[in-house]
Amino acid sequence: MNITADLIEIGPARPKSPEVAWKLIYDTDPEIFEYYFSNDLELMESCLSDWWQRPEGWFSHALCTAATYNGSLVGIEIGFTREINRNHLRPTFNYARETMNRAAYEHFSGAFKNYVPYLFPYIPRDAYYVQTLAVKAEMRGQSVGQTLLNAALNRAKGKELKTCQLDVASDSIAVNFYKK
């Protein structure tokens, strides 16, 4: 399939397509999500699908810009400012408490407490932080990721933020994408 950027529609995400959204979120860092959810892929799918549809939280559609092609979700960018990040932290844990059994929740919250300080840097007041940028595998190389990243940069400029930042593991295939 060969598409061009002008065929990709970019806009605010909607709470639909949780079956695609959870997988895109997971694909950004499978190892860490497997750790968060104790390698329970059913629980992970259930939680991330549910949380995607919620009105707030780190994995909510509300923080997301969606890329669609022919009406189907093909990519996401979840990002925020420091203030928005703080406002969405508590709901994330509230949803986890609601959707997980006690043992799973304790593991999840412990994993976040142990890893989040290392995974998420301090976000300056004048920065936009790209937490998640993912494109369906069959759509990669078709300008979807670049279009989403450009939208994030424009959003940062529109809010008069001075910087846009993200983190990617040095051994991730995404490194080459960001170098371009």
Side-chain angles (χ1 to χ4, degrees):
M1 176 182 327
N2 192 12
I3 63 170
T4 58
D6 60 322
L7 298 175
I8 301 297
E9 213 171 299
I10 299 294
R14 301 197 178 8
K16 61 183 189 175
S17 303
E19 70 285 352
V20 175
W22 88 265
K23 183 75 169 91
L24 288 168
I25 293 166
Y26 166 75
D27 283 348
T28 61
D29 194 340
E31 293 82 14
I32 196 67
F33 282 103
E34 288 168 8
Y35 175 66
Y36 288 156
F37 291 94
S38 300
N39 294 310
D40 186 337
L41 293 180
E42 272 186 46
L43 177 64
M44 182 189 328
E45 178 180 1
S46 173
C47 289
L48 291 175
S49 294
D50 178 77
W51 302 349
W52 170 258
Q53 297 173 78
R54 303 282 185 124
E56 52 191 352
W58 277 354
F59 306 108
S60 167
H61 70 281
L63 294 179
C64 183
T65 298
T68 57
Y69 175 68
N70 287 337
S72 296
L73 183 64
V74 296
I76 60 172
E77 181 271 320
I78 299 176
F80 38 73
T81 61
R82 179 169 69 180
E83 183 179 342
I84 291 171
N85 178 38
R86 287 182 182 158
N87 293 340
H88 286 261
L89 177 62
R90 185 176 304 273
T92 301
F93 284 92
N94 290 341
Y95 300 155
R97 194 175 294 113
E98 290 174 22
T99 55
M100 297 175 158
N101 67 41
R102 184 180 177 96
Y105 174 75
E106 287 177 5
H107 174 81
F108 177 83
S109 61
F112 259 83
K113 288 176 189 169
N114 290 332
Y115 274 97
V116 165
Y118 300 107
L119 295 176
F120 294 99
Y122 171 80
I123 302 170
R125 285 189 193 279
D126 62 353
Y128 180 84
Y129 184 75
V130 176
Q131 174 190 344
T132 302
L133 187 111
V135 175
K136 288 178 79 172
E138 63 270 21
M139 297 298 287
R140 293 181 188 145
Q142 305 292 318
S143 303
V144 178
Q146 185 62 52
T147 303
L148 282 167
L149 188 56
N150 287 341
L153 295 170
N154 288 334
R155 198 166 31 264
K157 285 179 191 173
K159 294 177 183 270
E160 298 185 12
L161 299 170
K162 293 181 181 177
T163 64
C164 186
Q165 60 186 60
L166 58 84
D167 294 288
V168 63
S170 62
D171 61 348
S172 170
I173 62 169
V175 169
N176 290 330
F177 166 76
Y178 291 115
K179 281 184 178 180
K180 288 180 191 177

